[in-house]
Amino acid sequence: MRWIVPEGRGVRTALAKRVTQAKRAVGTKKLLLLGSAILAIAVWIGYEGLRERAGAGSEGTAGNSAPQGETGAGIYTSGLPIVGKPVTLRAAVRKTVTHGDFAQMQTFQDLERATNIRFEWDQIPSETYTEKKKWMFLNGELPDVFFSGLTSSDVVRYGSQGLLIPLEDLIDKYAPNIKKVFDAYPEVRKASTTPDGHIYSLSFLEANDYMVYRNHLAINREWLDKLGLEVPTTTDELYRVLQAFKKRDPNGNGIRDEIPLASLYGGINQNFHALFNAFGVRNPDGSKLAVKDNSVRYEPAQPEYKDAIKYIHQLYAEQLIDPETFTQDAKRFMAKGSAPEIVYGAFTAFLGNVELGSLDRLKRYAIVPPLAGPNGDRTWRRQDNRITPNTFSITSANKYPEATMRLIDAMNEEDTAFQLWRGPYGSHIRKEADGKIRQNPLPERKTVLEAWIGEAAPYNSVPLYFTKTMMDNYVLDETSSLRNEAYKLYKPYIVSEEETYPQYIYYTVGQLQQLQALDTDIQSYQSAMEAKWIIEGGIDEEWDRYIAELHKMGLDRKIRIHQDAYDAYRRF
């Protein structure tokens, strides 16, 4: 296994220090397959950003020069390796459906060899992550680091308890790359700073405009063409198209197996809430909070929300929306979407290739611009994904916080960061003569780009910071290009920042305790009533009683807390 440096760059090879390191980096099974050559030598070429540059006139940086300034703890203050003697960090990470085995990812294997820091992974499936995480904190069985998965509430709560350690001093001393990003992007520092002034977690930054919204609506273009229909522009037109998908056998197999509108209630990208904006709801998912004239409001208590529910109930009652919406999990949803026979008429997704099983299948679908509702509302939910908070934290169990922070900063050398995000040079990405980085085409028998990358790299599950300058050097791959084209359609209709409740707000411990108590009742009641009304109907008859019950449960106090946090955020 090796890293391939872009053409025209200096190349320097290095012998592995120990055969045992090669075993850990490559894995026993692969070691047997690769044979005695791997046992004798471990070669990695290039790894831009984690190597010494060779040749006269090369620019050296802290991330690729020889180690300098060993501290009393055996940690080098600059260069590589980071530590003189090997160090092992126990790392917990939330593993998604597109991730392979983190221990077998080439990017991490080479990172470990270059830095002398290896990971012992606890790879927790997304479906069980929340419970496992709670168990870790309650029982004091903490890893050294968390990659991805902690919530803002976790960060504030466990940071205040000393279970997560402050990072700001470590950043100042050991993370020049991250410090530069914080200086250039104050909003990134702001998104990581809790009310007590500390930074307990680092984020992921992708400074791409098309990341300001979450998902879009896709519809089967082949079915439309077969039935002589146009891409819908209103909620009424969508209703009639879905009726046709159900009744007229558009996939032509003589079976009524079509699912006119696919939906996964527990999936933030794939659920029917995306249609609520056509009825005037600004933020139907997540916090369900919006802002009007600088005042925070709770969307499920607005009259517009009632109209949206009635529309979705109509779709559900006529079986135009998947009847398994409330009961299926992500695996079931993806399995139906990627089945040999196409059954999804329309669905919402971040892009859609994952849900359908391949990019080729997605090309059979058209992106539907935001629909106009019965009162002329035509907006789409803003969720600014340029910053993904809480991607990395160091726990109190970590004996090597300085080395750990140096490791994270080494990940953010530009070429290293791109490989951790998009896959290794040579196999996954390439740098051409113009300095631009391009994604390589999918290999044969690979159908989902994210899953292919996820075999070799952690993708966006580690704290990487891609500035606008860095993104200008990255040529969008076909998948990202499709996302960008969808963004152009949606851009005029995305809810403004002024009307959007920020997703990067941290609350004080006191506020969190109050919200936890309030939301135990409010959110549970709201979700239960929403499901009931969509399945059974009856929202008109029960609306007044529902609103009264929300207020009885403390809705006014909940909004007051969010308003105070919002006001503090604006003053920051």
Side-chain angles (χ1 to χ4, degrees):
M1 181 182 300
R2 64 178 185 171
W3 288 90
I4 301 177
V5 65
E7 290 184 13
R9 297 279 180 142
V11 176
R12 186 171 187 172
T13 62
L15 294 177
K17 293 182 178 181
R18 297 173 179 84
V19 171
T20 54
Q21 284 183 320
K23 289 180 179 178
R24 286 198 301 269
V26 180
T28 302
K29 291 183 179 179
K30 289 187 178 179
L31 208 58
L32 292 172
L33 292 172
L34 293 174
S36 60
I38 294 296
L39 290 172
I41 186 171
V43 178
W44 73 97
I45 295 178
Y47 202 165
E48 294 287 318
L50 282 180
R51 66 180 180 91
E52 295 181 57
R53 297 181 188 263
S58 295
E59 288 185 3
T61 70
N64 53 42
S65 59
Q68 301 289 329
E70 184 177 355
T71 68
I75 302 167
Y76 297 113
T77 56
S78 64
L80 296 173
I82 290 173
V83 291
K85 295 181 180 180
V87 164
T88 298
L89 298 177
R90 293 167 299 144
V93 64
R94 181 178 57 186
K95 186 176 182 180
T96 70
V97 293
T98 56
H99 282 131
D101 184 347
F102 280 75
Q104 297 300 319
M105 290 179 183
Q106 181 182 333
T107 49
F108 274 129
Q109 291 174 346
D110 285 277
L111 184 70
E112 290 172 358
R113 285 196 294 267
T115 62
N116 232 4
I117 298 175
R118 68 179 296 270
F119 290 110
E120 182 181 292
W121 292 101
D122 187 354
Q123 306 177 52
I124 310 168
S126 296
E127 296 82 2
T128 60
Y129 185 87
T130 299
E131 291 305 314
K132 178 69 179 290
K133 172 191 65 179
K134 288 180 181 178
W135 184 91
M136 288 177 168
F137 281 106
L138 287 173
N139 291 277
E141 296 290 336
L142 292 175
D144 295 309
V145 298
F146 280 98
F147 284 116
S148 181
L150 295 185
T151 66
S152 295
S153 298
D154 294 331
V155 169
V156 172
R157 179 177 294 107
Y158 299 126
S160 68
Q161 294 175 10
L163 298 177
L164 302 178
I165 69 171
L167 305 179
E168 59 270 12
D169 290 343
L170 293 171
I171 293 169
D172 288 341
K173 293 178 182 178
Y174 300 103
N177 291 317
I178 296 173
K179 193 172 186 301
K180 286 179 184 177
V181 174
F182 279 9
D183 291 342
Y185 292 82
E187 64 272 25
V188 176
R189 180 188 293 272
K190 182 178 180 178
S192 296
T193 304
T194 57
D196 65 4
H198 288 306
I199 295 173
Y200 298 108
S201 71
L202 296 178
S203 55
F204 179 97
L205 170 68
E206 182 183 344
N208 256 340
D209 289 341
Y210 68 58
M211 298 298 288
V212 301
Y213 80 119
R214 185 75 196 184
N215 58 359
H216 49 245
L217 178 63
I219 197 162
N220 194 311
R221 183 191 292 109
E222 293 180 348
W223 289 9
L224 290 175
D225 292 343
K226 181 176 181 179
L227 301 179
L229 301 172
E230 300 292 332
V231 172
T233 61
T234 69
T235 51
D236 285 343
E237 290 177 7
L238 176 64
Y239 170 70
R240 290 193 289 271
V241 167
L242 297 180
Q243 282 184 314
F245 284 174
K246 177 176 175 57
K247 297 176 180 178
R248 296 170 60 185
D249 190 28
N251 66 5
N253 63 359
I255 304 170
R256 280 203 172 183
D257 56 352
E258 291 87 356
I259 299 174
L261 178 61
S263 179
L264 175 65
Y265 188 68
I268 196 167
N269 288 330
Q270 302 93 1
N271 69 53
F272 52 69
H273 287 130
L275 301 178
F276 282 33
N277 285 74
F279 297 86
V281 179
R282 292 295 186 263
N283 182 26
D285 220 329
S287 70
K288 300 182 176 67
L289 300 171
V291 178
K292 187 172 180 60
D293 300 326
N294 291 327
S295 295
V296 177
R297 73 180 199 179
Y298 185 58
E299 294 295 83
Q302 307 305 316
E304 296 89 344
Y305 171 82
K306 180 168 65 169
D307 295 335
I309 291 289
K310 290 163 70 174
Y311 178 78
I312 300 298
H313 167 64
Q314 182 181 24
L315 301 185
Y316 190 89
E318 297 183 26
Q319 295 185 349
L320 303 182
I321 193 170
D322 192 344
E324 293 186 330
T325 290
F326 293 99
T327 57
Q328 65 188 340
D329 59 14
K331 290 182 179 179
R332 170 71 174 162
F333 181 85
M334 306 295 180
K336 290 190 292 188
S338 59
E341 186 80 67
I342 290 182
V343 295
Y344 283 175
F347 65 100
T348 59
F350 184 83
L351 181 60
N353 57 322
V354 174
E355 287 77 3
L356 295 174
S358 75
L359 190 60
D360 286 339
R361 291 182 72 144
L362 178 61
K363 292 176 183 177
R364 303 181 188 183
Y365 288 72
I367 304 300
V368 183
L371 301 170
N375 298 317
D377 292 289
R378 195 179 186 189
T379 68
W380 198 262
R381 178 177 182 250
R382 171 184 289 268
Q383 181 175 326
D384 194 337
N385 298 288
R386 288 175 294 187
I387 301 174
T388 304
N390 312 318
T391 309
F392 170 79
S393 293
I394 299 176
T395 75
S396 58
N398 192 316
K399 297 178 181 178
Y400 313 102
E402 297 86 359
T404 302
M405 184 53 68
R406 277 219 57 216
L407 174 66
I408 299 304
D409 198 63
M411 290 181 182
N412 279 281
E413 291 292 331
E414 182 167 331
D415 283 296
T416 306
F418 271 112
Q419 292 176 91
L420 288 167
W421 182 39
R422 308 303 300 184
Y425 277 123
S427 60
H428 287 69
I429 58 175
R430 64 192 185 277
K431 182 177 283 188
E432 298 183 342
D434 60 1
K436 300 291 186 181
I437 296 173
R438 288 172 168 81
Q439 191 86 49
N440 291 339
L442 274 172
E444 290 185 17
R445 295 184 296 276
K446 299 292 183 181
T447 57
V448 177
L449 177 65
E450 292 82 358
W452 176 52
I453 293 173
E455 295 173 359
Y459 200 51
N460 57 359
S461 292
V462 295
L464 304 175
Y465 294 91
F466 295 97
T467 64
K468 187 68 169 66
T469 301
M470 291 171 68
M471 293 309 304
D472 287 343
N473 289 330
Y474 177 68
V475 179
L476 293 179
D477 56 86
E478 188 176 12
T479 301
S480 299
S481 295
L482 288 174
R483 167 77 178 183
N484 197 46
E485 290 304 308
Y487 167 68
K488 293 176 183 177
L489 292 176
Y490 277 64
K491 182 179 178 180
Y493 309 105
I494 296 172
V495 175
S496 68
E497 287 191 65
E498 291 75 20
E499 293 183 295
T500 303
Y501 190 82
Q503 64 189 90
Y504 310 126
I505 284 184
Y506 286 109
Y507 299 89
T508 66
V509 174
Q511 289 172 332
L512 281 174
Q513 290 172 341
Q514 293 181 67
L515 287 173
Q516 183 177 23
L518 291 167
D519 284 339
T520 298
D521 293 332
I522 292 174
Q523 299 290 61
S524 297
Y525 176 65
Q526 181 271 322
S527 295
M529 293 304 294
E530 177 175 283
K532 176 180 182 293
W533 288 330
I534 289 171
I535 295 171
E536 300 176 4
I539 191 170
D540 282 330
E541 296 80 2
E542 297 179 323
W543 180 255
D544 290 343
R545 185 163 63 251
Y546 160 77
I547 294 296
E549 190 65 25
L550 287 176
H551 286 291
K552 183 179 178 182
M553 291 177 173
L555 178 60
D556 294 334
R557 189 149 48 99
K558 170 182 167 66
I559 293 174
R560 180 72 260 166
I561 294 169
H562 288 300
Q563 184 71 53
D564 290 344
Y566 175 71
D567 293 340
Y569 176 86
R570 293 178 63 214
R571 291 192 301 267
F572 184 86

